[in-house]
Amino acid sequence: MAANGIPEDVLMDNDLIKDLVDVAKDSALLNGVLMRTKETPNSSEVVTYAPFTLFPSPVPKDTFHQALAVQTHYNRLVDRISQDSSFLEEALATTIKVDDFTGRLFNIYRHVLQEGKTQSIVLGLNRSDYMLDQNGDGSASLKQIEINTIAASFGGLASHTPNVHRHILKVAGRLEDSKRILDNNPSAGLAKGLAKAWELYGSERAVVLYLVEELQRNIFDHRYVENELWKRNIPVIRRQFEDVAKTGFLDQDKRLFVDGREVAIVYFRNGYMPQNYTEQFCCGCVILKLMQSLIIMTMYISTHLAGTKKVQQELARPGVLERFFPGEPDVVDQIRATFAGLYTLDMGPEGDKTVAMALAKPDQFVLKPQREGGGNNLYGAEICQVLEGVKQSTERMAYILMDKVQPRPVHNYLLRLGTPLKLSTCLSELGVFGAYVRHGQDMVLNECAGHLLRTKSDEHSDGGVAAGVAVLDNPFLV
């Protein structure tokens, strides 16, 4: 692994690695790092370990703590953007004309603005993702890839991976190294935000409703946060959008009931893909119903829009962050330091310059559509193929361009069911969870809720754990 991580001689000791792999898989099962082997409504007899690295991966201590420290500022930023309708109108004006999905979201948002929001309690659960860009002097800079403002996943499983890597390092005879694996409990951190909002809602009978897909391989990630709520005697139910559409109703006080249960909070673990907003799926009509009620949601439409790639690009323009943090130059500097280069593809000279820049050096950039869930970004020759087709068209406004972050590769073994074991050249991405609760204009909770490290082979440009590309990891601070 090198770079102050696991020494290469350990990585090349085939007999040791063989023994450690068996230990690692058993340890993952014992510690609850679990995933269903296939999408099925029944979880029995189809459970295995979630994919993970054999060893923890090195992360510079200073940049790790920088990511944690800036998270509460990102929480405030997302919240303030979500309250600024004029900014969202300006930032997304061109995108909603050419991107049907963002346009549908924005139409729901406009309807909500006209109707007015009933609930004054706001709950935010998000995850800001970063990679470490290598500088010419060998140092690394923290650069944000994106912020996930809806259905930010793997907080549950990330709470259980530290013990796995500690055990592996102990068995490998690296006791001192095992002590450098940090405690991490995003399950509790995210549940703390949910619990605070539930408490403010003020009804002990009311439930937290998870909005989920019918088939869910990553069920255990959900359950760990859910169990933290049950520990606090907060009841939880799981339903799909169709269930809410069919059985949900508002009483005269605008309280939402689903299957006869009063709902305090809706926790979105689904609802971020275009197919969720078709007439058949009815996500949009459900969200309108939710918005008209007293329930608290982990994702308001304005929060979803605040996490779009176009908003990310607009925030990088000079003077924009100052709009949200007047009189707080230190906060502005801390957030701006995490920005990679971000460029508009709107029609006009600035967008034309971006197109020319991308076509001239496509390997230095990432072309990003307005999509969540991983596996959507375009790289290298794909950038040229797409931009050559839309460079003279308004269709290019559906994308933004970002500098490609160049992290330092390390060597590790990626353990995934059914995949042959091999030493891979790997790249890592650090995620930081945030939780906040606002009551009226008072921020009553604003915290960093934990972290997540995901690692993938450098053979892959894009894709997360759920997409079968990345695996779970832990930071080994150096």
Side-chain angles (χ1 to χ4, degrees):
M1 182 175 292
N4 296 321
I6 305 302
E8 292 290 335
D9 62 326
V10 174
L11 294 170
M12 301 305 293
D13 187 335
N14 292 333
D15 290 337
L16 175 63
I17 295 301
K18 184 178 181 298
D19 291 341
L20 288 179
V21 167
D22 291 337
V23 168
K25 292 176 180 178
D26 290 342
S27 181
L29 294 172
L30 287 168
N31 283 283
V33 183
L34 303 172
M35 186 174 281
R36 289 179 179 172
T37 58
K38 58 184 178 180
E39 293 183 344
T40 171
N42 185 358
S43 64
S44 63
E45 299 180 5
V46 288
V47 174
T48 186
Y49 58 88
F52 67 104
T53 59
L54 182 59
F55 295 106
S57 294
V59 174
K61 185 183 300 184
D62 290 346
T63 49
F64 175 79
H65 288 297
Q66 177 191 359
L68 268 56
V70 78
Q71 183 57 43
T72 54
H73 300 326
Y74 268 113
N75 291 344
R76 293 167 63 204
L77 178 60
V78 170
D79 183 53
R80 290 177 181 186
I81 292 170
S82 71
Q83 297 179 73
D84 194 333
S85 59
S86 61
F87 173 76
L88 288 172
E89 287 269 7
E90 296 163 12
L92 296 168
T94 56
T95 306
I96 61 177
K97 294 177 182 178
V98 294
D99 186 78
D100 289 342
F101 176 45
T102 310
R104 287 197 293 273
L105 291 176
F106 208 87
N107 285 337
I108 297 171
Y109 175 57
R110 283 175 172 153
H111 189 91
V112 170
L113 287 177
Q114 292 171 359
E115 292 282 327
K117 196 169 67 172
T118 304
Q119 180 56 264
S120 62
I121 302 167
V122 173
L123 167 63
L125 304 177
N126 62 69
R127 193 189 71 227
S128 187
D129 292 335
Y130 307 91
M131 296 183 84
L132 304 183
D133 199 25
Q134 293 306 303
N135 303 319
D137 61 1
S139 63
S141 298
L142 187 75
K143 295 301 175 186
Q144 188 188 59
I145 303 302
E146 64 179 354
I147 188 163
N148 302 273
T149 59
I150 175 173
S153 58
F154 293 107
L157 293 185
S159 303
H160 292 255
T161 56
N163 282 337
V164 177
H165 278 138
R166 288 190 187 111
H167 185 63
I168 292 167
L169 291 172
K170 288 176 183 178
V171 174
R174 307 190 68 82
L175 179 61
E176 291 305 311
D177 285 344
S178 72
K179 298 175 182 178
R180 293 166 66 180
I181 304 299
L182 301 172
D183 289 333
N184 185 35
N185 197 352
S187 294
L190 296 170
K192 184 177 180 181
L194 288 158
K196 183 63 178 177
W198 180 84
E199 174 190 318
L200 290 171
Y201 182 84
S203 172
E204 292 185 358
R205 299 187 310 274
V207 303
V208 174
L209 186 154
Y210 272 56
L211 269 179
V212 297
E213 300 170 271
E214 179 183 7
L215 304 177
Q216 178 57 254
R217 288 189 66 205
N218 199 24
I219 183 69
F220 298 99
D221 186 53
H222 296 199
R223 293 296 193 192
Y224 288 130
V225 180
E226 181 180 326
N227 286 349
E228 290 289 337
L229 294 173
W230 281 108
K231 288 178 186 177
R232 298 168 180 258
N233 297 318
I234 298 174
V236 180
I237 62 174
R238 298 170 62 85
R239 296 293 187 273
Q240 298 169 51
F241 280 99
E242 294 94 328
D243 300 323
V244 179
K246 291 176 182 176
T247 72
F249 70 91
L250 305 185
D251 72 2
Q252 61 184 9
D253 298 318
K254 295 190 175 181
R255 296 179 299 174
L256 176 70
F257 289 80
V258 175
D259 290 332
R261 308 287 298 276
E262 182 181 357
V263 179
I265 297 172
V266 172
Y267 184 10
F268 281 75
R269 293 304 302 252
N270 193 15
Y272 52 87
M273 302 292 283
Q275 57 265 32
N276 300 147
Y277 289 80
T278 61
E279 288 186 15
Q280 179 182 7
F281 199 82
C282 206
C283 180
C285 62
V286 168
I287 287 177
L288 284 175
K289 180 183 289 186
L290 298 180
M291 286 288 191
Q292 293 163 356
S293 76
L294 278 173
I295 59 105
I296 303 163
M297 296 195 289
T298 61
M299 187 286 299
Y300 293 91
I301 284 292
S302 58
T303 312
H304 195 165
L305 294 171
T308 57
K309 307 301 183 289
K310 183 59 179 176
V311 166
Q312 181 187 18
Q313 177 256 305
E314 289 294 320
L315 289 172
R317 289 187 180 278
V320 175
L321 281 178
E322 286 82 355
R323 172 175 181 159
F324 297 103
F325 296 100
E328 297 185 74
D330 289 346
V331 172
V332 169
D333 289 345
Q334 288 177 55
I335 294 175
R336 187 167 285 143
T338 67
F339 287 170
L342 292 152
Y343 313 96
T344 183
L345 281 161
D346 287 352
M347 304 306 291
E350 189 179 4
D352 292 343
K353 182 180 177 181
T354 300
V355 171
M357 187 170 63
L359 292 176
K361 296 181 178 179
D363 290 335
Q364 294 184 12
F365 301 100
V366 183
L367 189 64
K368 305 177 77 170
Q370 313 301 313
R371 296 291 180 272
E372 305 297 333
N376 300 299
N377 296 333
L378 302 169
Y379 301 82
E382 294 175 320
I383 293 178
C384 295
Q385 182 180 353
V386 170
L387 286 185
E388 286 289 359
V390 301
K391 64 182 179 181
Q392 302 299 330
S393 166
T394 57
E395 291 179 43
R396 78 188 197 189
M397 299 190 303
Y399 301 88
I400 67 161
L401 192 74
M402 189 178 87
D403 285 343
K404 185 178 180 182
V405 179
Q406 305 287 352
R408 176 184 292 166
V410 297
H411 291 121
N412 210 331
Y413 293 91
L414 309 182
L415 306 186
R416 185 183 288 109
L417 184 68
T419 301
L421 183 69
K422 69 173 183 177
L423 186 62
S424 299
T425 303
C426 300
L427 308 173
S428 295
E429 185 170 325
L430 174 66
V432 180
F433 294 96
Y436 65 88
V437 178
R438 177 169 51 81
H439 193 186
Q441 293 304 310
D442 296 327
M443 190 71 84
V444 295
L445 184 145
N446 181 18
E447 295 186 1
C448 171
H451 60 270
L452 164 72
L453 194 69
R454 291 166 296 169
T455 294
K456 64 185 177 185
S457 167
D458 69 353
E459 297 170 353
H460 301 283
S461 296
D462 196 22
V465 178
V469 173
V471 304
L472 300 171
D473 200 348
N474 275 296
F476 184 82
L477 298 190
V478 295

